[in-house]
Amino acid sequence: TVELERPPEPSVADVLALLGDRASVLRRDQMSTRYGIHTPHALGVAMGDMKRVAREIGPSHELAEALWDSGVYEARMVASMVDEPARVTSSQMDSWCADFDNWAICDTVCFNLFDRSPGAWDKVAPWAGRSEEFVKRGAFALLWSLALHDAGAPDESFVAALGLVEEHAGDERPLVGKSISMSLR
């Protein structure tokens, strides 16, 4: 049997270089005005390019953690695409959620990774009870993505979540309200 050698895993610097090659100052400058993505550490890389970089890299929990720790918006987006859901821990979910600083990273991490992680349902209620804008948004973005992706979840999980939706529906922050609304839909 011939074993194929797997190429070495790229470093954070390698991934940042790949992203930098695809970056646009104009796109970075338009992130807040055009898309409402407010983040101080962005390169200006299109989502399609981030997805291509993630496909080139392939799955890697260790690299995902290191990319997240870089603090760079696009590196964090790629981290959510290359991390391995089965290896995501409860403490990692809490830590990354505490780092959410805009709607795009919050929603992308919830839709690409957290909803497929073993502890996803365990995070909805505790995060919904938190006051931080993007932690609370994370609760309902996660619920929203579970409603779309977790076809095997028992009805009771969604019925219980309806109580959370009702309890927090009065939150007047637009970014929280939208995620509550989308989770209900």
Side-chain angles (χ1 to χ4, degrees), residues 18-177:
L18 285 171
L19 292 167
D21 290 344
R22 294 159 172 82
S24 158
V25 172
L26 177 62
R27 187 175 298 109
R28 184 194 66 215
D29 292 346
Q30 290 179 338
M31 285 175 64
S32 65
T33 56
R34 191 168 184 187
Y35 302 107
I37 301 170
H38 306 284
T39 183
H41 306 291
L43 303 171
V45 180
M47 179 58 81
D49 287 331
M50 287 186 262
K51 288 179 178 181
R52 280 187 275 287
V53 167
R55 278 193 301 272
E56 287 176 31
I57 295 168
S60 172
H61 179 69
E62 291 76 16
L63 180 59
E65 288 181 320
L67 289 170
W68 188 268
D69 289 343
S70 76
V72 175
Y73 169 77
E74 289 86 352
R76 286 182 165 184
M77 295 291 262
V78 170
S80 76
M81 297 173 201
V82 301
D83 205 343
E84 302 166 63
R87 296 185 63 193
V88 172
T89 65
S90 176
S91 61
Q92 177 187 347
M93 291 176 78
D94 287 334
S95 174
W96 285 25
C97 183
D99 288 340
F100 292 165
D101 62 355
N102 64 75
W103 69 265
I105 196 74
C106 174
D107 292 6
T108 301
V109 171
C110 288
F111 272 79
N112 283 343
L113 180 63
F114 284 177
D115 68 330
R116 292 170 178 87
S117 301
W121 278 102
D122 297 333
K123 296 301 175 184
V124 175
W127 291 352
R130 300 275 298 275
S131 62
E132 302 96 315
E133 181 175 28
F134 292 108
V135 174
K136 184 168 272 196
R137 182 180 174 101
F140 293 99
L142 183 54
L143 178 57
W144 172 13
S145 59
L146 286 165
L148 291 172
H149 299 142
D150 191 358
D155 291 343
E156 294 78 29
S157 297
F158 294 104
V159 170
L162 283 174
L164 288 173
V165 169
E166 184 176 14
E167 179 182 346
H168 297 282
D171 194 307
E172 295 184 8
R173 294 172 290 183
L175 294 175
V176 175

